[in-house]
Amino acid sequence: LCPFFYITGLPCPLCGMTRGIVSILRIELTDALLYHLLSPLTFACMLVIYLTVLLPDKTVKVKVTFGRLMSVQAVLVSAWTLKLLFVDQIYW
């Protein structure tokens, strides 16, 4: 279903994130890291945002800058490169 995979034969940079988060919920942390290296960090961020929304008078304020976007992109591409180099294809 992924056009990137269909065209290149490689998983896209976000491929495996959902499976990684599901693995965290199942307390399978090794599998979560193998599916996507950033899935624990993404899960933690989602949990913080969710808990912040539930607390009264709390808001999440993030200033989005070009530098921050480039940093996030660099981390994502680095995790994707590590996955391609070191993770078995069954986790793609």
Side-chain angles (χ1 to χ4, degrees), residues 17-68:
M17 186 68 73
T18 302
R19 289 175 286 165
I21 291 173
V22 169
S23 293
I24 291 170
L25 293 173
R26 293 180 180 168
I27 312 173
E28 298 168 349
L29 300 181
T30 303
D31 284 345
L33 289 171
L34 289 171
Y35 282 126
H36 200 290
L37 188 60
L38 299 177
S39 58
L41 179 63
T42 303
F43 180 77
C45 290
M46 289 170 39
L47 188 62
V48 167
I49 291 169
Y50 179 74
L51 292 175
T52 302
V53 169
L54 288 179
L55 298 174
D57 301 326
K58 299 289 182 181
T59 59
V60 178
K61 295 179 183 177
V62 176
K63 184 177 179 184
V64 178
T65 63
F66 182 76
R68 287 183 182 170

Side-chain angles (χ1 to χ4, degrees), residues 34 78-89 91-92:
L34 289 171
S78 298
W80 181 57
T81 303
L82 290 172
K83 180 177 186 171
L84 293 176
L85 292 174
F86 299 111
V87 176
D88 191 11
Q89 288 186 1
Y91 289 97
W92 288 9

